[in-house]
Amino acid sequence: MNISRMVNALLMCCLPALAFTVQAQTVLRLAYAENSQPVKDALHFLGKQIEEKTANEIKVIYFPDAQLGGERELVELTQVGVVDITKVSSGLMESFSPAYGVFSLPYLFADVEEYYKVMDNPAVMEPVYQSTAPQGFIGIGWYDSGARSFYMSKGPIRKIEDLRGKKIRVMQSETAIQTLKLLGASPIAMGQAEVYTSLQQGILDGAENNEFALTIARHGEVARYYTYDMHTRIPDILLMSALTLEKLTPEQQEIVKEAVKASIEFEKAAWDKEMEATRRLAIENFNVEFFDIDKKPFQDAVQPIYEGLKNRPELYELYQKIQSAKG
């Protein structure tokens, strides 16, 4: 779907809603692509918080499940102010700002507590959020999207040698591809929609994602060995158009900021609860087996990536700031 078609679709969707708004009411268009239920619930919680805390001075209209396009199209619509708020993966954001590439670094966070501590630290995140301001949009918050681990079709990954030569699907990310090569695997970049069939037909030996892929995408039917190596924690990022921010009063801006904070905490709790249910479902309905491993050999293997960071001063500085923020 091109930009003009998305704009036309947006206008057609908005007109009925706008007809019932009072003249002084500000309308925010919140659009998102396909997402897990915790993220969807958090986005709607965000909108409700904004409406309630502004006494309905601001009305939030939703465009869910890729009605206006995929994540890249939504970023582009946010840049020009057609979409006011959206949520995309920080993996995609790397193509708009190199700073977001830091979250693709393998084994960056030891555990979820360390991850939350860094992500909730304004000193770390604000420069990252503001890095896209010249492009017409900024980050206003983040959501947990879990840890990415390996799942395989023919047997589990118990040690690093088990990855040797295995064809593993990865996102279209140079860091992800380099990580898999250093671990001894053969990375294959492809769209998420192709993964199930590729696993089924043996084109892929495995893939890497969070546990939702096993149930929502039904990958557990064709790859039921899931190993918790947790090589990356790639957050989702909430974005707001700079044009939208300018039209809000200082008081409304502060309300949006507080609503975002509340929605982050809401999403964390919802994510944990849903993830527990997802693991049970994967075991009971898909016969998935889960494995824990010693991560140190994996961490040691990817150290050349961190050595290479020294040749990228801005990213290396952000990496050092993250290390300090871990405490």
Side-chain angles (χ1 to χ4, degrees):
M1 185 184 291
N2 61 36
I3 294 296
S4 62
R5 286 177 62 193
M6 285 188 278
V7 171
N8 289 335
L10 180 59
L11 291 173
M12 291 297 291
C13 292
C14 276
L15 284 175
L18 292 175
F20 293 99
T21 61
V22 297
Q23 190 171 4
Q25 192 175 48
T26 297
V27 175
L28 296 184
R29 294 150 298 204
L30 194 164
Y32 56 89
E34 295 180 4
N35 283 283
S36 64
Q37 198 60 46
V39 172
K40 291 181 181 181
D41 291 344
L43 289 168
H44 283 261
F45 178 85
L46 170 62
K48 186 176 180 182
Q49 287 282 298
I50 292 171
E51 290 179 342
E52 289 180 354
K53 292 181 183 297
T54 61
N56 290 315
E57 286 181 2
I58 296 178
K59 171 71 176 174
V60 179
I61 298 176
Y62 304 93
F63 298 89
D65 302 329
Q67 284 183 11
L68 301 180
E71 290 194 340
R72 179 169 290 278
E73 290 85 0
L74 292 175
V75 174
E76 292 169 353
L77 288 173
T78 304
Q79 282 181 288
V80 297
V82 175
V83 166
D84 299 298
I85 300 173
T86 190
K87 184 240 50 115
V88 301
S89 170
S90 65
L92 170 68
M93 289 301 298
E94 188 174 350
S95 62
F96 292 91
S97 168
Y100 283 98
V102 75
F103 300 114
S104 295
L105 293 173
Y107 309 103
L108 179 63
F109 301 105
D111 51 43
V112 69
E113 289 78 16
E114 196 172 84
Y115 174 55
Y116 284 176
K117 189 172 184 180
V118 169
M119 295 304 300
D120 287 332
N121 188 325
V124 174
M125 293 306 300
E126 274 305 312
V128 178
Y129 290 152
Q130 295 295 328
S131 65
T132 56
Q135 300 177 60
F137 63 97
I138 62 168
I140 56 172
W142 70 283
Y143 288 154
D144 190 3
S145 64
R148 299 179 76 91
S149 291
F150 295 112
Y151 54 99
M152 310 296 290
S153 60
K154 295 177 182 176
I157 301 300
R158 294 180 182 272
K159 55 187 184 302
I160 193 169
E161 289 79 10
D162 294 334
L163 273 171
R164 193 163 294 156
K166 296 294 192 301
K167 301 184 292 291
I168 308 292
R169 182 264 174 178
V170 296
M171 297 183 294
Q172 187 62 55
S173 159
E174 285 304 315
T175 304
I177 291 169
Q178 187 181 4
T179 296
L180 266 291
K181 287 180 177 178
L182 288 171
L183 292 174
S186 298
I188 299 178
M190 67 168 62
Q192 178 73 356
E194 305 169 62
V195 176
Y196 184 101
T197 303
S198 297
L199 286 166
Q200 190 177 45
Q201 296 177 350
I203 297 170
L204 293 173
D205 297 307
E208 50 88 47
N209 210 325
N210 63 46
E211 297 93 320
F212 280 123
L214 300 171
T215 57
I216 294 175
R218 304 189 72 83
H219 291 176
E221 292 178 342
V222 289
R224 63 185 187 88
Y225 304 97
Y226 192 97
T227 297
Y228 283 113
D229 81 300
M230 300 181 179
H231 47 273
T232 51
R233 293 183 181 272
I234 299 177
D236 286 337
I237 304 296
L238 284 163
L239 303 175
M240 177 174 271
S241 170
L243 294 171
T244 303
L245 198 61
E246 289 173 5
K247 76 182 180 184
L248 299 180
T249 67
E251 182 182 5
Q252 289 173 335
Q253 290 180 16
E254 187 60 30
I255 286 172
V256 170
K257 184 177 179 180
E258 292 304 313
V260 167
K261 287 182 180 178
S263 76
I264 291 171
E265 295 307 313
F266 176 97
E267 195 267 349
K268 286 178 186 176
W271 182 273
D272 288 344
K273 184 177 180 181
E274 191 69 20
M275 190 55 68
E276 289 179 12
T278 295
R279 289 191 195 98
R280 289 197 301 270
L281 184 64
I283 293 168
E284 294 168 5
N285 289 13
F286 297 89
N287 296 315
V288 172
E289 297 180 61
F290 291 94
F291 301 86
D292 292 307
I293 57 167
D294 175 13
K295 300 183 185 69
K296 191 173 186 309
F298 294 74
Q299 293 165 336
D300 291 343
V302 301
Q303 286 311 299
I305 290 177
Y306 289 94
E307 288 297 318
L309 274 187
K310 296 174 183 178
N311 299 321
R312 303 174 66 185
E314 289 185 13
L315 203 58
Y316 186 61
E317 182 181 349
L318 178 56
Y319 165 69
Q320 290 179 309
K321 190 182 291 186
I322 287 173
Q323 294 299 90
S324 298
K326 291 176 182 179

